Amino acid sequence: RDHFDRDRDATSELTSTAYVLAAAVHQLGLISYTQRSAAGEQTAARPPEQHFQVQLGHVDAQGGTASLQVAHPQLGDIALEVELSNGVLRVIASAPTELAARVLLEGQAQLAERLLRQGVALEKLDVTVANKRKDSQRARARNRKQER
């Protein structure tokens, strides 16, 4: 019973951490949305809806892993692989563009602060550009064909 409770607590912590991270990533780089009222006054417009998916991987009493997909309205689809262990989070992010990668890296302090409010320390954030990896794979394949 005790082991079951620890695993359930770890699952709950990983799930809530994943949702906090996804929501925080979604807010990075968003343009301030404003609109004009009929009287010409500027008011805050409703920000775009948040769209993300969280899939839990292995979970045990110390923590676990999860995969997140965040559909960012300006930056595109961002994939995150997270590992939570004893309240410490490590994240590997795959961004669709150089701009998205830069926004994630520049927002690292904001992400860390948001997570710390949940009692989770962001130890590491690695960011790669997904298209760059695909482009280099295509170039290598093209070079191999030319060598034949």
Side-chain angles (χ1 to χ4, degrees), residues 85-128:
S85 179
N86 296 315
V88 176
L89 187 69
R90 286 176 285 290
V91 179
I92 299 172
S94 178
T97 63
E98 293 282 347
L99 172 63
R102 188 169 58 247
V103 168
L104 286 172
L105 289 171
E106 289 173 357
Q108 185 170 353
Q110 185 179 342
L111 292 173
E113 180 183 316
R114 186 103 178 255
L115 290 163
L116 203 52
R117 283 189 239 143
Q118 299 295 314
V120 175
L122 178 62
E123 177 182 272
K124 184 176 183 180
L125 172 65
D126 288 332
V127 180
T128 61

Side-chain angles (χ1 to χ4, degrees), residues 55-146:
Q55 182 175 358
L56 296 181
H58 171 76
V59 180
D60 61 24
Q62 282 73 44
T65 61
S67 298
L68 292 74
Q69 296 291 325
V70 179
H72 194 285
Q74 279 93 31
L75 302 177
D77 293 337
I78 299 169
L80 303 158
E81 295 295 324
V82 301
E83 178 184 347
L84 180 64
S85 179
N86 296 315
V88 176
L89 187 69
R90 286 176 285 290
V91 179
I92 299 172
S94 178
T97 63
E98 293 282 347
L99 172 63
R102 188 169 58 247
V103 168
L104 286 172
L105 289 171
E106 289 173 357
Q108 185 170 353
Q110 185 179 342
L111 292 173
E113 180 183 316
R114 186 103 178 255
L115 290 163
L116 203 52
R117 283 189 239 143
Q118 299 295 314
V120 175
L122 178 62
E123 177 182 272
K124 184 176 183 180
L125 172 65
D126 288 332
V127 180
T128 61
V129 179
N131 291 340
K132 189 179 247 187
R133 192 174 337 128
K134 289 178 186 173
D135 289 344
S136 66
Q137 288 170 347
R138 281 190 206 115
R140 281 195 301 268
R142 205 173 28 248
N143 288 340
R144 275 188 248 129
K145 283 182 183 178
Q146 289 174 353

